[in-house]
Amino acid sequence: MTELEIPVEKWSGAVRLVTLGATGDGGTRTSTVTVGGETTLPFLHFEGQIPNAPVVAAEVVDMHPADWSPALLEALGDDTRDPAAWARKMVGLGADLISLKLRSTHPDQGDRSAADAVATVKSVLAAVGVPLIVYGPGVVDKDNEVLVAVADATKGERLALATCEDKNYRTIVAAALGNGHLIVAQTPIDVNLAKQLNILISDMGLSLDRMLMDPTTGAVGYGVEYTYSVMERLRLAALMGDGMTQQPMICSVGEESWRQKESRVADGVPESWGEYATRAVVWEVTTATALLHAGADILVVRHPRSIAQVQRSIAALMKGV
Amino acid sequence: MALTGLQIYKLLPQTNCKECGFPTCLAFAMKLAQKGTELANCPYVSDEAKASLDAASAPPIRLVAIGAGERAFEVGNEVVLFRHEKTFYHQPGLVVRVKADDPKIVELTARMVSSYAVERVGMSLRLDGIAIEDSGGGAAAFAAAVAVARSAAPGLPLVLMSTDPAAVGAALDEAGADRPLVHAATAANWQAMAELAKKHSCPLAVRAESGDLTALADLAAQVQDAGVDDIVLDPGTSDPAGMLAAFTQLRRLALKKNYRPLGFPIIAFVGAGSAEEQAAMAAEAITKYAGVIVLDGFEPALIYALMTLRQNVYTDPQKPIQMEPKLYEVGAPTASSPLLITTNFSLTYFTVSGEIEASGVPVWLLVADADGMSVLTAWAAGKFDAEKIAKTVTASGLGGKLKHHKLVLPGYVAGLSGEVEEELAGWEILVGPREAVEIPNYLKSVWKAD
Ligand code: B12
Ligand code: SF4
């Protein structure tokens, strides 16, 4: 028998370690989550170290999302009317952390105040012990207003404030700096834009171990191939030692996947699309799995069955060989 | 892996006779390495040298055809580890497994697998085959099941799953002419299997245990020495981590080391778990190098998602799938039918036109040239702005054709409506819904010609 020589890459770089949540010094979490540290491509245990498994964040919204897919609303039940109860439920289902979207502060969705947002965040912090990622409504001015108030009111919690984009990163980065939080830097599917934004943010003095990057997600059938390749390229650059691409990556899998017709519509679609409830969950799982293999460190998902499956996959992939 | 000029030179006669038109053998070799001339131009090259040069120019992963006729599919011949480096060429065949023991179920499954098709971005996506698994009922029973599948689904490629040479032999007597993939030759049965595959000119899968690639390479080499050229590799891993490690190593060995014994496409089994468990395994197999993927049953909800992911991953990253920018008629629109505008990204076009069709309302769908980008991407890139929209409308000549002068914009670019109205004198600019799913309702209850 000829002994095979398996080609192994000698990478010089590593993904940065980032810890979400804090248990002391103002932090009230009962546990923290650390991602990053990989010195090889996803799950290639024969080649390098993967000290931290990717994690699953469950998405929670601060108002009942009546426009969400019926399959989701049915699976989540009444708890969607109270973000604290919803968050508790998702942690009970095994979510490693909670991604809280402050949707009701959007000017078209109720325009609730920053003070209301602070109260919501505090109620969720009180309800669960896991770390939080907090998303503003996604409108520049309101994001600034809401996220700054939240950051000030939760000093020391190491929340991840989302999202910082090229147009409005300054205010949010400053709020993170002043209160010991992290930020999520989001750029539209482009390696160079991702790098640039990381540079701009770190130039403001935020240390790199407080930054996650969101390279923007496309769902299966709706741009996943672009996301997939940009993430692969970012991860390869990180391993080759490019310091400005080494932030752990976070993907909004649930939001993208559940927006699509395949996940929303049960009737009047081709029979070959298959049974609705299964199709909708499989769409989210398939999107998540593809991105897991492209280098995702945090996957934000929505459906209880997806949480369970993505975690099963991660556990199996972490077993090594 | 291509040879260098110097390596080729060593294989030439080195007499510098100039008959090839080059001053020296070395000059000829250099040109050959750059693919600037043909080996045939040297009349004195030995057969031995020819063989090694041919071998060196063979693709690092052999292209293997499974099945015969129209529905046959080819896998292998990939050239990169990451799709952004060039593209992935031969998408993995998706096949559905069925046990041989119940002819009724074999027949039903074969029918469903064969007729399954789903339309996506203008393409009809189909399953590639059916894998019949020997359930130990003996050679005659296995062959009978294969016969049932063949007549229920003529032309559908087959995978014959059995390690019993007698059963495979009987099945090949039935279906050998269809070039089924035989799975599998193992350390215990490879001689008999190789003989059968050679006799029927069929592709043969070789299987090792739990990711032992050394054993796999030895087995592949033995089978090849026995005269089988079309080989498919099964490293025998059944868990996600083992599969990823083995498949990655196989792809690297082939592409980076040009390691011939393992330069073949790979077959993946996604297990018998729930739909979402199979989805996770299969998504891994699609992104990470499988050539054939065996699903455990016929589950359209799962199959549709996997075929879509497969289509995405195997799209050339350099060219989005795009439409010809022009005016399309959806249904049979008249002078008072609505006019909608969108971009020439195929996904966008088919999503929108599909919804319009579903609504039953005939529509003029004007497709602007936006370099094949989606609405928001094109808008962000400056390829779908007020000026472009106005020009597209003017160039279409619709102004003279339509009774009304109303143009519906995609909801996501609502912000453009004022500007478009300024650019397009005499037109009323309406804002449609954001998502295509809402188009039928919009056409039926919101849009009015007057
Ligand atoms: C894949 C993608 C890309 C791909 C391109 C794919 C392609 N061929 O278009 C790549 C990676 C190349 C890309 C590039 C860029 N992108 Co881009 N991209 C995406 C992504 C992930 C998906 C887009 C997609 O395919 N959608 C699916 C199609 C079907 O959607 P659609 O065309 O909009 O059609 C829908 C509706 O509009 C509606 N509809 C369509 N037509 C019509 C017509 C009528 C009448 C009606 C009523 C409805 C309707 O129906 C469809 C289904 O509901 C989105 C983010 C996301 N998750 O959505 C970002 C996104 C569109 N990109 C964005 C940006 C900024 C860019 C870049 C400018 C970044 C940069 N600076 O480089 C570049 C521009 C390209 C360039 N400069 O060359 C932004 C746009 C920001 C904004 N809000 O305007 C987005 C939203 C990401 C983000 N959140 O920041 N992108
Ligand atoms: S014809 Fe062949 S032997 Fe003669 S110079 Fe050319 S390469 Fe050399």
Side-chain angles (χ1 to χ4, degrees):
Chain A
M1 293 229 174
T2 43
E3 202 45 55
L4 269 182
E5 201 190 313
I6 301 293
V8 170
E9 301 288 343
K10 289 198 178 59
W11 304 108
S12 57
V15 180
R16 245 173 223 110
L17 288 168
V18 172
T19 297
L20 295 95
T23 54
D25 286 332
T28 62
R29 305 302 74 213
T30 55
S31 60
T32 63
V33 166
T34 298
V35 289
E38 302 93 311
T39 60
T40 178
L41 291 167
F43 310 110
L44 297 188
H45 303 279
F46 65 87
E47 179 167 272
Q49 302 307 310
I50 304 166
N52 297 294
V55 293
V56 177
E59 186 173 341
V60 167
V61 183
D62 71 343
M63 60 190 272
H64 174 69
D67 56 353
W68 274 20
S69 163
L72 266 178
L73 293 179
E74 193 189 319
L76 294 170
D78 274 346
D79 288 330
T80 55
R81 293 175 192 279
D82 170 12
W86 186 350
R88 216 179 289 122
K89 175 188 196 123
M90 300 321 265
V91 172
L93 289 167
D96 299 301
L97 65 172
I98 294 295
S99 168
L100 175 64
K101 170 105 177 167
L102 298 169
R103 178 175 168 184
S104 73
T105 62
H106 192 290
D108 303 338
Q109 303 280 331
D111 205 16
R112 287 173 72 195
S113 68
D116 287 344
V118 169
T120 306
V121 172
K122 290 210 153 163
S123 77
V124 175
L125 282 170
V128 298
V130 300
L132 245 59
I133 307 162
V134 179
Y135 280 82
V139 183
V140 174
D141 294 342
K142 199 65 190 280
D143 271 356
N144 286 345
E145 192 187 325
V146 167
L147 291 177
V148 169
V150 167
D152 287 345
T154 57
K155 195 174 168 86
E157 289 283 10
R158 279 185 92 93
L159 305 181
L161 306 173
T163 58
C164 290
E165 296 173 43
D166 62 343
K167 283 175 238 116
N168 75 324
Y169 64 93
R170 285 170 200 282
T171 312
I172 297 168
V173 172
L177 263 172
N179 297 291
H181 296 303
L182 324 179
I183 57 93
V184 176
Q186 191 190 17
T187 44
I189 330 190
D190 186 292
V191 172
N192 291 322
L193 294 179
K195 262 180 85 161
Q196 267 169 34
L197 184 58
N198 289 345
I199 293 171
L200 290 171
I201 291 174
S202 73
D203 281 352
M204 278 186 71
L206 190 70
S207 72
L208 289 160
D209 65 356
R210 288 180 181 267
M211 292 165 55
L212 299 167
M213 60 179 176
D214 175 351
T216 299
T217 303
V220 165
Y222 300 89
V224 73
E225 69 274 38
Y226 294 96
T227 308
Y228 179 87
S229 285
V230 163
M231 288 175 64
E232 271 197 334
R233 289 171 56 202
L234 280 165
R235 183 51 49 89
L236 286 165
L239 296 175
M240 285 187 247
D242 180 343
M244 284 301 147
T245 57
Q246 291 170 337
Q247 306 318 120
M249 294 190 274
I250 176 169
C251 299
S252 314
V253 171
E255 182 176 349
E256 288 305 320
S257 175
W258 288 96
R259 230 159 43 96
Q260 313 308 342
K261 183 170 184 180
E262 281 79 357
S263 309
R264 298 177 59 90
V265 182
D267 303 315
V269 299
E271 206 181 311
S272 51
W273 283 22
E275 191 249 326
Y276 169 58
T278 304
R279 181 207 321 146
V281 170
V282 161
W283 217 266
E284 185 170 40
V285 168
T286 310
T287 303
T289 311
L291 300 183
L292 200 52
H293 287 288
D297 293 285
I298 304 179
L299 295 148
V300 186
V301 300
R302 288 184 173 173
H303 197 285
R305 270 166 69 188
S306 309
I307 297 180
Q309 178 54 46
V310 177
Q311 284 192 327
R312 255 200 308 273
S313 295
I314 293 171
L317 284 161
M318 285 302 290
K319 259 193 220 130
V321 272
Chain B
M1 211 179 301
L3 296 181
T4 64
L6 229 55
Q7 285 167 326
I8 296 174
Y9 173 69
K10 288 189 187 134
L11 297 169
L12 293 176
Q14 305 177 12
T15 55
N16 302 333
C17 76
K18 301 186 175 56
E19 276 182 48
C20 56
F22 290 86
T24 60
C25 292
L26 182 61
F28 177 72
M30 289 303 185
K31 200 71 185 176
L32 197 60
Q34 302 159 9
K35 304 212 184 321
T37 183
E38 308 250 316
L39 185 62
N41 290 337
C42 169
Y44 305 111
V45 65
S46 69
D47 286 346
E48 205 179 313
K50 222 180 256 166
S52 32
L53 283 165
D54 279 350
S57 63
I61 300 174
R62 186 178 170 87
L63 186 66
V64 173
I66 295 168
E70 234 170 75
R71 294 194 71 169
F73 62 99
E74 292 182 319
V75 291
N77 204 4
E78 299 298 337
V79 298
V80 290
L81 282 159
F82 305 102
R83 60 188 287 284
H84 65 261
E85 293 173 322
K86 187 155 179 63
T87 186
F88 290 174
Y89 287 100
H90 296 95
Q91 61 171 30
L94 283 169
V95 309
V96 171
R97 168 157 71 174
V98 64
K99 286 208 165 60
D101 55 6
D102 187 338
K104 283 252 153 49
I105 294 188
V106 173
E107 184 183 349
L108 195 69
T109 310
R111 281 232 176 87
M112 291 188 300
V113 168
S114 180
S115 61
Y116 182 87
V118 62
E119 219 38 60
R120 214 178 155 85
V121 290
M123 295 177 209
S124 175
L125 309 181
R126 309 199 67 179
L127 284 163
D128 299 282
I130 182 161
I132 318 240
E133 186 180 14
D134 185 0
S135 25
F142 187 55
V146 170
V148 165
R150 268 187 92 217
S151 61
L156 183 70
L158 297 168
V159 180
L160 308 180
M161 293 180 63
S162 173
T163 48
D164 172 8
V168 169
L172 283 176
D173 286 338
E174 185 65 46
D178 296 349
R179 275 185 65 84
L181 170 63
V182 175
H183 179 282
T186 65
N189 71 8
W190 67 267
Q191 276 124 328
M193 288 296 204
E195 221 162 278
L196 285 167
K198 196 178 156 193
K199 176 172 159 206
H200 294 274
S201 312
C202 290
L204 176 63
V206 293
R207 193 183 75 206
E209 297 305 322
S210 44
D212 183 348
L213 300 189
T214 303
L216 191 65
D218 288 337
L219 201 51
Q222 283 167 323
V223 164
Q224 208 176 5
D225 283 346
V228 179
D229 293 327
D230 288 328
I231 296 173
V232 170
L233 304 172
D234 177 0
T237 48
S238 55
D239 67 296
M243 180 169 98
L244 180 68
F247 285 22
T248 303
Q249 292 173 353
L250 286 173
R251 182 78 149 233
R252 284 186 181 177
L253 280 163
L255 295 188
K256 300 183 86 106
K257 300 266 175 187
N258 201 25
Y259 185 67
R260 293 287 169 190
L262 294 175
F264 298 98
I266 316 171
I267 187 167
F269 293 85
V270 305
S274 64
E276 58 259 44
E277 238 173 314
Q278 290 192 49
M281 271 296 260
E284 174 178 322
I286 289 169
T287 52
K288 292 294 169 184
Y289 315 139
V292 179
I293 300 174
V294 183
L295 306 173
D296 200 55
F298 181 74
E299 168 64 88
L302 169 67
I303 290 164
Y304 175 34
L306 296 178
M307 294 212 291
T308 306
L309 177 66
R310 175 178 75 167
Q311 182 186 38
N312 291 161
V313 170
Y314 279 77
T315 297
D316 184 343
Q318 262 55 285
K319 357 178 176 105
I321 311 178
Q322 32 183 304
M323 305 290 299
E324 186 192 342
K326 61 172 196 186
L327 180 66
Y328 289 82
E329 301 181 7
V330 188
T334 66
S336 36
S337 298
L339 168 64
L340 274 59
I341 190 163
T342 189
T343 63
N344 69 325
F345 185 29
S346 287
L347 175 62
T348 302
Y349 170 83
F350 284 104
T351 312
V352 171
S353 63
E355 291 301 336
I356 297 173
E357 263 164 41
S359 77
V361 181
V363 159
W364 299 101
L365 182 56
L366 187 55
V367 173
D369 184 354
D371 286 358
M373 288 183 209
S374 80
V375 168
L376 271 182
T377 310
W379 175 80
K383 306 275 180 192
F384 191 62
D385 54 11
E387 199 186 329
K388 169 65 71 53
I389 293 172
K391 273 199 183 139
T392 309
V393 173
T394 310
S396 73
L398 274 164
K401 260 196 221 168
L402 296 183
K403 279 196 193 137
H404 65 80
H405 279 177
K406 292 180 185 193
L407 172 69
V408 183
L409 296 184
Y412 279 115
V413 293
L416 290 178
S417 67
E419 257 183 276
V420 179
E421 208 146 49
E422 270 172 38
E423 300 251 352
L424 269 179
W427 284 80
E428 187 184 339
I429 308 305
L430 307 175
V431 174
R434 292 175 150 223
E435 298 296 338
V437 220
E438 292 143 27
I439 290 179
N441 182 49
Y442 175 81
L443 291 175
K444 285 189 267 189
S445 19
V446 184
W447 199 88
K448 298 253 166 9
D450 39 50

